[in-house]
Amino acid sequence: MEINLVRKSGKFNFEAENTAGFKVELDAKPAIGGEGKGFRPMEMLLVGLGGCSGIDVVNVLTKQKEPLEDIKIAIKATRKDEEMPPIFDVIDIHFELYGTLSVQKVERALAMTFDKYCSVSNILGRSATINFTYTIHQ
């Protein structure tokens, strides 16, 4: 795995690119001189959590032959602002699942995702509390 960053403009605006050529822009918060031209680095961690857990939930439900029609993920997080560095304290992740899904299989998929498969949640969970909830829309 390799990621390369180049500064695009301003003081803190970077573009990150992976080996497949996909790109994302990052910037610092305006309070320290950022220009709002991209994700902040801590937001990227939450993007990684959402992507990792979403992929795992879809994968497990697919293997369980559940008819998942769509999925949406919302993440809210708080940081330990009194500490330096201000790492995440609590991360709440909510899954909106669409389809005629079994509650038991959804709960199993989520448990497997957060207990076993999602490496990003495993890393973040070492310093933050991660809570997950879900809603099934039939």
Side-chain angles (χ1 to χ4, degrees):
M1 187 177 302
E2 182 179 325
I3 303 292
N4 293 296
L5 288 92
V6 295
R7 189 159 68 172
K8 287 192 64 170
S9 66
K11 195 173 183 180
F12 301 115
N13 180 220
F14 289 88
E15 180 178 80
E17 182 176 3
N18 68 6
T19 54
F22 293 104
K23 299 176 183 179
V24 65
E25 281 195 53
L26 295 100
D27 205 344
K29 61 184 176 182
I32 66 164
E35 300 175 2
K37 292 184 176 180
F39 281 93
R40 297 199 317 249
M42 292 297 282
E43 291 173 332
M44 289 300 298
L45 289 175
L46 297 178
V47 170
L49 174 62
C52 181
S53 61
I55 288 167
D56 290 338
V57 167
V58 170
N59 193 34
V60 172
L61 289 174
T62 299
K63 287 180 179 178
Q64 293 176 338
K65 304 215 183 302
E66 284 295 286
L68 179 66
E69 296 170 11
D70 201 2
I71 181 173
K72 295 178 184 177
I73 303 165
I75 303 172
K76 293 181 182 177
T78 58
R79 294 171 69 177
K80 298 178 183 178
D81 291 328
E82 68 284 350
E83 293 183 10
M84 194 53 72
I87 61 175
F88 289 119
D89 181 28
V90 177
I91 302 170
D92 294 316
I93 181 166
H94 182 74
F95 296 84
E96 296 280 338
L97 304 165
Y98 297 82
T100 308
L101 305 168
S102 159
V103 170
Q104 293 79 17
K105 289 184 178 182
V106 166
E107 289 179 353
R108 183 166 189 263
L110 287 165
M112 290 175 71
T113 292
F114 287 97
D115 293 341
K116 183 175 183 180
Y117 294 123
C118 181
S119 53
V120 177
S121 73
N122 186 286
I123 291 167
L124 290 175
R126 294 177 187 192
S127 60
T129 299
I130 300 175
N131 303 307
F132 62 87
T133 57
Y134 69 92
T135 303
I136 298 174
H137 302 276
Q138 303 261 345

